[in-house]
């Protein structure tokens, strides 16, 4: 299946279980992969035949910068469900939410979750 990928969407949010995370906030990075048929878009050169990824960016931004959640799993789920609801051409979506400054007691590169949701 064809796909549209958006990687490294960078936002500032207030998600986390610790009071300090919800007060100070931190950076979150989101990757979105949408699976859909791009054949018509490839033939017609019409935006209506595909997904406007600027609108998908806005969905992720609104959710990550919106209401604080304790778990990034909730953030990923909300993004995935909204994409499936708002973009009828998307058959399946993978959303990864990275929390590179998670409060862990040692050195690390990233803490992240991924959810994969399908229309069926």
């Amino acid at each position: 299946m064809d796909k549209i990928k958006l990687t490294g969407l960078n936002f500032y949010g207030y998600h986390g279980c610790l009071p300090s995370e919800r007060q100070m906030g931190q950076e979150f990075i989101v990757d979105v992969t949408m699976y859909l048929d791009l054949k018509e878009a490839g033939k017609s050169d019409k935006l209506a035949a595909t997904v406007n990824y600027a609108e998908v960016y806005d969905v992720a931004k609104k959710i990550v910068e919106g209401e604080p959640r304790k778990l990034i799993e909730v953030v990923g789920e909300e993004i995935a469900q909204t994409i499936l609801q708002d973009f009828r051409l998307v058959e399946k979506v993978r959303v990864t939410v990275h929390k590179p400054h998670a409060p862990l007691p040692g050195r690390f590169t990233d803490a992240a979750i991924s959810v994969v949701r399908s229309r069926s």
Side-chain angles (χ1 to χ4, degrees), residues 3 20-21 25 28 35 40-41 43-44 49 52 62 64 66 78 80 89 108 116 118:
K3 55 187 162 183
S20 59
E21 293 179 290
F28 293 88
Y35 298 84
E40 182 61 33
K43 289 180 176 181
S44 70
N52 183 336
K62 181 179 178 183
V64 176
E78 288 183 5
L89 295 175
F108 69 101
V116 178
S118 297

Side-chain angles (χ1 to χ4, degrees), residues 3-4 7 10 23 27 39 44-45 51 54-58 65 81 83 91-92 99 106 108 110 118:
K3 55 187 162 183
I4 296 173
T7 57
N10 198 300
Q23 289 173 347
E27 172 187 38
K39 187 182 220 177
S44 70
D45 199 26
V51 171
E55 293 176 3
V56 175
Y57 176 93
D58 288 340
E65 293 182 352
Q81 292 299 334
I83 289 169
E91 293 297 322
K92 182 169 95 171
K99 190 174 179 178
F108 69 101
D110 192 18
S118 297

